[in-house]
Amino acid sequence: MAQSVGIKDVARVAGVSVGTVSNVINRPDTVATETRARVLSAIDRLGYVRSESARQLRAGRSRIMGLLVLDMGNPFFVDVARGAERAARRAGLGVMVCNSAQNPAEEAEYLSLFAEQRVRGVLLTPADATGRNIEAFRRHNIPFVLVDRVAEGTTECSVSVDDVAGGALAVRHLVDAGHRSLAYVSGPPGLNQVRDRRTGALEALAEAGLGPEALRELPTERLDVAAGRDAGARLLGLADRPTAVFCANDLLALGVLQAMYAAGVGVPDDLAIVGYDDIEFAAAAAVPLTSVRQPAVTMGAMAADLLLEETEEEGAARAHEHRRVVLQPELVVRRSSLSAR
């Protein structure tokens, strides 16, 4: 196995001290132009790559930001990661993206990994509804920002979307189209987002003079297409089938759409469907999907900016104030909900 090239090797080939090489790497403006060129030439010839872990031990500061999301199979979180990555790169940082798969145990393992790596900070969409994982992570004194979740009962920053308003937008649209019997394909009940979207849906029904019995809830264990297909099959089995369905995210809605297509049920004529997130696939579905749009890229970028602000040098960090940023959703109407009742 080839021996790795170290800073001493670069100093020997360039004919300078180890301190000069360090200055070229970390403070190039302090080194004379000719000397700097000689060192850079040696670095290029030898293929030297500095040890980031060693640099972090000396400086006590990581150049890595952690991002832990519920499901990287969901394009919504891919967009969140894209926004966070853009903001991190502008600050010269990288992003370590991890997927809890909506599993609190896996979430706890990744948070422990972030602590071991002493990352600069963490962007977190919690999977553990009890908050125990967050409480345990606080012991490490690593800053974090909640993403797609309001920081209720905590002092940390958060960036989220008003999911109550989003649920109301979806159901108000269906009620305005003449629907009086609806279903909510809700996902895991422990997730705040799922509960908030249901609250908004019930508020929209109340505005129209309809009681909670007008909304049949079909919970699922996961927020993916397969769970949506299963919910669609249960929906088809109902004796008094609703005329419209609101789904807690677009993947569930696409699964319901697949189940209806396989059963020969027309969308939107026999069943109107509204999703949530407005992922790229929503507009490209066989029946383009009406969806509540979340500004996912903006959410990721804003969360990363808040974390960067908090983890700046000491003077700037002391000026940082924790904030809860709540963005507003937008209804994007497409053919899946445009039936005439």
Side-chain angles (χ1 to χ4, degrees), residues 52-341:
E52 178 61 20
S53 59
R55 189 201 68 80
Q56 288 177 199
L57 284 172
R58 290 192 300 272
R61 289 172 63 79
S62 170
R63 294 178 58 244
I64 298 297
M65 176 188 299
L67 171 62
L68 182 55
V69 300
L70 290 177
D71 181 10
M72 280 305 293
N74 186 339
F76 167 76
F77 288 111
V78 175
D79 287 341
V80 169
R82 184 178 296 118
E85 191 266 346
R86 287 176 185 171
R89 281 181 64 84
R90 286 196 298 268
L93 271 64
V95 179
M96 180 192 299
V97 182
C98 298
N99 176 26
S100 71
Q102 303 171 43
N103 186 323
E106 292 191 29
E107 175 181 83
E109 291 178 7
Y110 279 123
L111 289 174
S112 293
L113 175 64
F114 290 151
E116 290 171 9
Q117 296 297 317
R118 300 303 300 175
V119 297
R120 177 75 63 92
V122 175
L123 307 179
L124 170 64
T125 303
D128 177 22
T130 69
R132 283 192 290 266
N133 287 342
I134 289 177
E135 285 301 319
F137 187 66
R138 279 198 183 93
R139 297 197 307 264
H140 302 290
N141 294 317
I142 296 175
F144 64 90
V145 174
L146 298 180
V147 185
D148 195 31
R149 166 86 175 270
V150 176
E152 296 174 349
T154 71
T155 59
E156 284 78 21
C157 289
S158 65
V159 181
S160 62
V161 165
D162 188 340
D163 283 317
V164 174
L169 280 175
V171 170
R172 193 177 295 124
H173 167 68
L174 293 170
V175 170
D176 288 346
H179 296 282
R180 295 295 180 267
S181 176
L182 294 80
Y184 176 43
V185 177
S186 61
L191 293 178
N192 284 19
Q193 299 92 324
V194 166
R195 295 197 300 268
D196 286 348
R197 291 165 198 178
R198 179 178 182 274
T199 297
L202 292 173
E203 286 183 2
L205 290 175
E207 289 172 9
L210 300 170
E213 68 278 358
L215 188 71
R216 304 274 292 275
E217 185 167 1
L218 298 173
T220 62
E221 292 185 0
R222 302 188 62 78
L223 289 162
D224 54 24
V225 174
R229 284 196 298 266
D230 174 71
R234 284 183 280 151
L235 189 65
L236 290 167
L238 295 177
D240 184 16
R241 186 193 306 163
T243 62
V245 59
F246 166 44
C247 298
N249 76 359
D250 285 341
L251 296 183
L252 290 172
L254 291 171
V256 171
L257 180 60
Q258 289 179 7
M260 297 305 112
Y261 181 81
V265 174
V267 175
D269 293 335
D270 298 319
L271 183 75
I273 302 176
V274 175
Y276 205 104
D277 290 339
D278 195 34
I279 61 175
E280 184 177 352
F281 299 135
V287 179
L289 185 66
T290 294
S291 184
V292 177
R293 176 179 293 166
Q294 297 199 82
V297 174
T298 299
M299 192 182 304
M302 292 184 72
D305 284 338
L306 286 172
L307 189 60
L308 290 167
E309 178 185 299
E310 185 175 356
T311 58
E312 283 293 336
E313 300 299 334
E314 283 191 19
R318 280 197 293 269
H320 172 79
E321 293 183 3
H322 291 307
R323 299 193 295 278
R324 295 182 183 181
V325 178
V326 180
L327 305 174
Q328 291 303 308
E330 174 190 357
L331 182 70
V332 180
V333 178
R334 301 190 181 94
R335 190 155 63 89
S336 71
S337 64
L338 292 179
S339 58
R341 303 301 302 172

